[in-house]
């Protein structure tokens, strides 16, 4: 029968599995296509969101610029429309200070993108909220412009002027003066504009060679020791020690040890001349090199730069220390005194402000900036320890003049000193007197003796500490190099080379902790030089807002211009 014939066929059909994998594959393929389609929609969506975000960022940055005078909301809208995103119907919002000292632009849009494959999963569109905000703030800015005025800054330099293409021959100090004055002009053009409230900008100029001269004006705000301050020898540098570089401030309410006048150098041979004929004095008192603290008059600041004179060694750490110190709130009492004496404008009352990043409408905070420049590397700084500045030196003479009897050559150069009637008194020894004439220790001389004081050696006879330690004071104890060096080291206060590099890096690290923006400039130096290395490391130690510039004399103006722009740069805040 038909049923008998059909039953085996049905049973075979039920047992057969051929073709079942094809059905499963078709199902998986459909799922893969749906997933791929949705992935494509998400990729399209993310690409579109990134385009909208970048457009809004550019629009906000352009609109927030204080240099453009068009309505900022119009500028932002135009950027968005020109990018083909007018369909977003963006409504930028701009706020700013009454005197255009700050401006903030905010843009938020809702973007909806129809999907291609999403409807399969009943997802007809993808939406996102995209926002951007940019702010340019030129609130209160305090700047320390720390400039190298060592002897190498007098060197002649030749370059092609990038603005004219003409060959130029000048000196490095002259190039620096031009670039620094241009920088000052840019700061006034962008921060202390004619319509901005007074007191928005304060610039301190800190020239440095082997030391930093406070000058007669700044010393009104600080108290310096009086041990070596008589008459024309009243130098206005202060001694700085290794421990001083772990912090930024120099306390204006604490008496500071005045740097010893004269010359304490060990590495030069001063057998042929007193210190007065050398430019390597511990502190070269010169009004052109004195600090100008908290200036807010563009003409006065530029004149100070124009009057700079270069000579001497290089103490980058000393320059940076004073630059930082004038940004530190510990200097506030000094600035208050200078305001009272009318040496600083009353518009700068309250400066230096606290270490807080400035915001557009902040009243008592400031952006703090250190610009540190050199054309070389750290060398030497010297002074004399306080115990060896005044009072009896231990030297005694039978001459009522109370002086060393010096011998000189035809040209007046010191060739030595007379040992006749010259003694050294050491109460810890027995016998306590050393006779320079007989080169032996003895009891009390029969002749009347007069003390030779340190004041006489340094101030009256103008002898260097090195010469006295090396030729005179070490002699009772021997003539070896070790004894001479030990005598000098006991009397001298000095920092040299690697010591000063370490000091600078400690200072830059402290600046980072306080949020100071540190810009360093190395002019006409090799990458491998110690100066380039330590300035680069200093900028890297400092806040990320700072930067290291290795430049040439011909590009120095461009470098200062770059720093000026960076100080007033836009900040994308969201």
């Amino acid at each position: 029968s038909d049923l008998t014939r059909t039953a085996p066929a049905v049973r075979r059909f039920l047992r057969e599995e051929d073709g079942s994998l094809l059905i499963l594959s078709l199902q998986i393929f459909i799922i893969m296509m749906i997933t791929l389609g949705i992935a494509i929609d998400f990729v399209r969506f993310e690409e579109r969101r990134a385009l909208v975000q970048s457009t809004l960022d550019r629009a906000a940055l352009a609109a927030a610029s204080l240099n453009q005078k068009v309505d900022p909301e119009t500028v932002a809208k135009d950027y968005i429309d020109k990018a083909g995103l007018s369909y977003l119907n963006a409504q930028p919002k701009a706020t700013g200070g009454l005197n255009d000292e700050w401006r903030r632009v905010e843009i938020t849009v809702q973007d909806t993108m129809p999907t291609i494959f999403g409807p399969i999963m009943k997802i007809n569109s993808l939406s996102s909220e995209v926002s951007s905000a940019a702010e340019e703030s030129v609130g209160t800015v305090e700047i320390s412009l720390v400039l190298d005025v060592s002897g190498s800054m007098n060197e002649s330099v030749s370059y092609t002027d990038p603005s004219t293409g003409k060959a130029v021959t000048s000196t490095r100090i002259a190039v620096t003066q031009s670039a620094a004055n241009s920088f000052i002009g840019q700061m006034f053009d962008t921060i202390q504009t004619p319509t901005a409230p007074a007191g928005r900008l304060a610039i301190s100029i800190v020239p440095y060679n082997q030391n930093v001269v406070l000058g007669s004006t700044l010393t009104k705000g600080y108290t310096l020791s009086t041990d070596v301050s008589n008459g024309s020898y009243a130098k206005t540098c202060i001694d700085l020690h290794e421990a001083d570089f772990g912090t930024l401030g120099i306390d204006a309410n604490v008496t500071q040890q005045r740097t010893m006048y004269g010359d304490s150098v060990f590495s030069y041979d001063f057998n042929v001349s007193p210190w007065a004929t050398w430019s390597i004095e511990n502190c070269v008192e010169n009004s052109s090199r004195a600090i100008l603290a908290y200036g807010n008059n563009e003409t006065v600041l530029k004149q100070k730069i124009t009057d700079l004179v270069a000579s001497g060694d290089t103490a980058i750490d000393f320059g940076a220390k004073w630059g930082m110190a004038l940004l530190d709130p510990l200097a506030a009492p000094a600035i208050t005194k200078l305001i009272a004496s009318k040496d600083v404008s009353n518009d700068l009352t309250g400066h230096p402000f606290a270490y807080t990043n400035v915001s557009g409408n902040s009243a008592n905070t400031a952006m703090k900036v250190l610009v540190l420049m050199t054309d070389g590397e750290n060398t030497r700084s010297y002074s004399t320890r306080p115990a060896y500045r005044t009072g009896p030196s231990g030297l005694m003479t039978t001459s009522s003049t109370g002086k060393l009897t010096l011998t000189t050559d035809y040209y007046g150069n010191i060739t030595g000193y007379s040992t006749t009637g010259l003694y050294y008194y050491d109460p810890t020894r027995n016998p306590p007197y050393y006779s320079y004439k007989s080169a032996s220790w003895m009891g009390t001389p029969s002749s009347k003796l007069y003390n030779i004081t340190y004041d006489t050696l340094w101030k009256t006879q103008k002898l260097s500490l090195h010469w006295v330690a090396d030729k005179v004071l070490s002699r009772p104890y021997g003539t070896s190099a070790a004894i001479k060096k030990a005598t000098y080291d006991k009397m001298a206060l000095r920092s040299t080379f690697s010591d000063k590099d370490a000091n600078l890096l400690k200072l830059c690290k402290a600046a980072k902790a306080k949020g100071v923006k540190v810009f360093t400039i190395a002019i006409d130096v090799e990458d491998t030089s110690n100066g380039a290395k330590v300035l680069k490391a200093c900028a890297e130690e400092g806040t990320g807002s700072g930067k290291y510039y290795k430049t040439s004399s011909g590009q120095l103006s461009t470098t200062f211009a770059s720093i000026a722009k960076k100080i007033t740069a836009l900040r994308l805040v969201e």
Side-chain angles (χ1 to χ4, degrees):
S1 71
D2 292 340
L3 181 59
T4 303
R5 289 194 299 271
T6 302
V10 171
R11 286 194 295 270
R12 284 196 303 274
F13 176 78
L14 292 175
R15 290 196 301 268
E16 288 292 337
E17 295 181 358
D18 294 348
S20 60
L21 185 61
L22 176 62
I23 296 172
L24 178 62
S25 297
L26 288 173
Q27 293 174 334
I28 293 174
F29 178 73
I30 292 170
I31 295 172
M32 288 176 62
M33 291 299 295
I34 293 173
T35 303
L36 179 61
I38 294 174
I40 290 173
D41 279 336
F42 275 110
V43 170
R44 291 176 53 242
F45 173 72
E46 179 57 27
E47 181 181 25
R48 178 161 162 161
R49 190 204 63 78
L51 173 64
V52 172
Q53 183 69 67
S54 62
T55 301
L56 296 191
D57 288 347
R58 290 195 302 272
L61 287 168
S65 173
L66 295 176
N67 290 327
Q68 65 89 13
K69 303 305 178 184
V70 180
D71 175 63
E73 295 177 356
T74 301
V75 171
K77 190 76 166 57
D78 188 58
Y79 259 76
I80 295 169
D81 292 347
K82 293 289 175 58
L85 301 178
S86 57
Y87 66 86
L88 292 174
N89 192 30
Q91 299 297 321
K93 178 184 177 182
T95 54
L98 295 176
N99 296 290
D100 288 331
E101 70 273 15
W102 66 278
R103 180 184 297 159
R104 181 182 176 87
V105 176
E106 300 174 336
I107 312 171
T108 300
V109 298
Q110 294 286 338
D111 184 27
T112 300
M113 184 195 77
T115 59
I116 297 174
F117 298 95
I120 298 174
M121 302 294 294
K122 296 185 179 182
I123 301 175
N124 297 319
S125 63
L126 294 172
S127 299
S128 67
E129 181 178 278
V130 184
S131 63
S132 181
E135 178 181 320
E136 183 172 20
S137 170
V138 287
T140 306
V141 180
E142 297 170 354
I143 301 173
S144 282
L145 188 55
V146 183
L147 303 176
D148 187 343
V149 291
S150 62
S152 59
M153 291 292 290
N154 284 321
E155 291 178 358
S156 178
V157 292
S158 298
Y159 59 92
T160 300
D161 189 324
S163 61
T164 64
K166 295 182 179 179
V168 176
T169 298
S170 184
T171 61
R172 200 169 289 122
I173 186 67
V175 171
T176 299
Q177 288 166 323
S178 175
N181 275 337
S182 179
F183 169 81
I184 289 171
Q186 288 175 277
M187 291 294 92
F188 277 88
D189 290 342
T190 57
I191 297 175
Q192 193 62 70
T193 61
T195 58
R200 284 288 179 183
L201 176 67
I203 299 179
S204 298
I205 298 173
V206 183
Y208 71 93
N209 49 19
Q210 65 265 26
N211 215 318
V212 175
V213 177
L214 277 67
S216 59
T217 299
L218 187 54
T219 50
K220 295 177 184 178
Y222 289 85
T223 302
L224 274 60
S225 66
T226 58
D227 54 344
V228 288
S229 62
N230 297 334
S232 62
Y233 300 102
K235 308 300 184 181
T236 60
C237 304
I238 69 167
D239 287 346
L240 294 173
H241 302 262
E242 182 181 350
D244 296 320
F245 293 89
T247 57
L248 303 186
I250 295 175
D251 196 337
N253 288 325
V254 174
T255 299
Q256 303 296 327
Q257 180 62 57
R258 195 185 297 262
T259 296
M260 179 67 175
Y261 54 75
D263 217 320
S264 304
V265 175
F266 180 76
S267 56
Y268 291 84
D269 182 3
F270 283 90
N271 186 40
V272 296
S273 180
W275 62 259
T277 63
W278 293 75
S279 63
I280 194 68
E281 294 178 41
N282 298 331
C283 175
V284 184
E285 192 72 16
N286 186 312
S287 60
S288 71
R289 296 192 189 90
I291 292 175
L292 191 162
Y294 280 78
N296 67 341
N297 182 299
E298 183 176 359
T299 300
V300 172
L301 287 163
K302 288 183 174 180
Q303 188 61 52
K304 176 65 181 179
I305 297 292
T306 301
D307 291 341
L308 292 177
V309 176
S311 68
D313 264 359
T314 309
I316 308 171
D317 57 335
F318 279 38
K321 175 64 180 181
W322 269 109
M324 296 290 193
L326 290 173
L327 299 174
D328 191 274
L330 283 177
I335 305 307
T336 299
K337 291 178 182 178
L338 294 180
I339 291 173
S341 64
K342 301 187 183 305
D343 292 298
V344 169
S345 169
N346 190 60
D347 294 330
L348 298 179
T349 298
H351 286 267
F353 289 140
Y355 288 113
T356 305
N357 289 332
V358 70
S359 60
N361 57 358
S362 181
N364 292 309
T365 59
M367 176 191 296
K368 296 175 183 287
V369 179
L370 179 82
V371 181
L372 176 61
M373 181 278 291
T374 188
D375 73 328
E377 60 185 52
N378 274 313
T379 55
R380 297 158 285 257
S381 296
Y382 294 90
S383 186
T384 299
R385 298 184 188 277
Y388 304 97
R389 298 184 176 199
T390 62
S393 66
L395 293 171
M396 307 187 81
T397 178
T398 56
S399 171
S400 61
T401 62
K403 300 179 182 178
L404 281 177
T405 302
L406 302 173
T407 58
T408 59
D409 62 15
Y410 175 79
Y411 301 100
N413 296 316
I414 297 174
T415 56
Y417 58 94
S418 172
T419 60
T420 302
L422 181 64
Y423 300 89
Y424 182 78
Y425 175 63
D426 183 349
T428 66
R429 291 185 62 99
N430 187 18
Y433 286 90
Y434 176 82
S435 168
Y436 284 82
K437 181 72 172 179
S438 64
S440 62
W441 290 90
M442 58 178 289
T444 305
S446 57
S447 302
K448 183 178 180 179
L449 297 178
Y450 299 87
N451 282 317
I452 299 177
T453 64
Y454 285 121
D455 305 73
T456 299
L457 295 172
W458 313 142
K459 185 161 56 180
T460 305
Q461 298 197 274
K462 301 177 182 176
L463 300 169
S464 73
L465 185 151
H466 170 236
W467 188 88
V468 172
D470 182 61
K471 305 296 182 184
V472 187
L473 293 181
S474 61
R475 185 168 173 181
Y477 303 98
T479 58
S480 70
I483 289 175
K484 292 180 178 182
K485 185 177 184 303
T487 303
Y488 173 79
D489 288 343
K490 180 177 65 174
M491 302 174 69
L493 176 66
R494 57 177 174 166
S495 61
T496 60
F497 306 106
S498 60
D499 301 326
K500 303 182 81 60
D501 289 347
N503 289 342
L504 180 59
L505 293 181
K506 284 200 301 183
L507 193 66
C508 296
K509 186 175 182 179
K512 179 179 181 179
K514 295 296 187 180
V516 178
K517 302 182 189 306
V518 179
F519 298 90
T520 60
I521 308 171
I523 311 172
D524 299 334
V525 298
E526 298 294 332
D527 286 328
T528 56
S529 72
N530 287 338
K533 289 177 181 178
V534 74
L535 259 64
K536 185 174 187 295
C538 175
E540 291 172 350
E541 281 285 1
T543 175
S545 299
K547 187 176 180 182
Y548 164 69
Y549 292 84
K550 178 184 175 298
T551 189
S552 63
S553 293
Q555 293 296 322
L556 188 58
S557 290
T558 302
T559 297
F560 269 105
S562 173
I563 295 173
K565 290 179 181 178
K566 195 168 179 63
I567 290 173
T568 54
L570 294 168
R571 294 182 291 119
L572 190 61
V573 295
E574 293 182 11

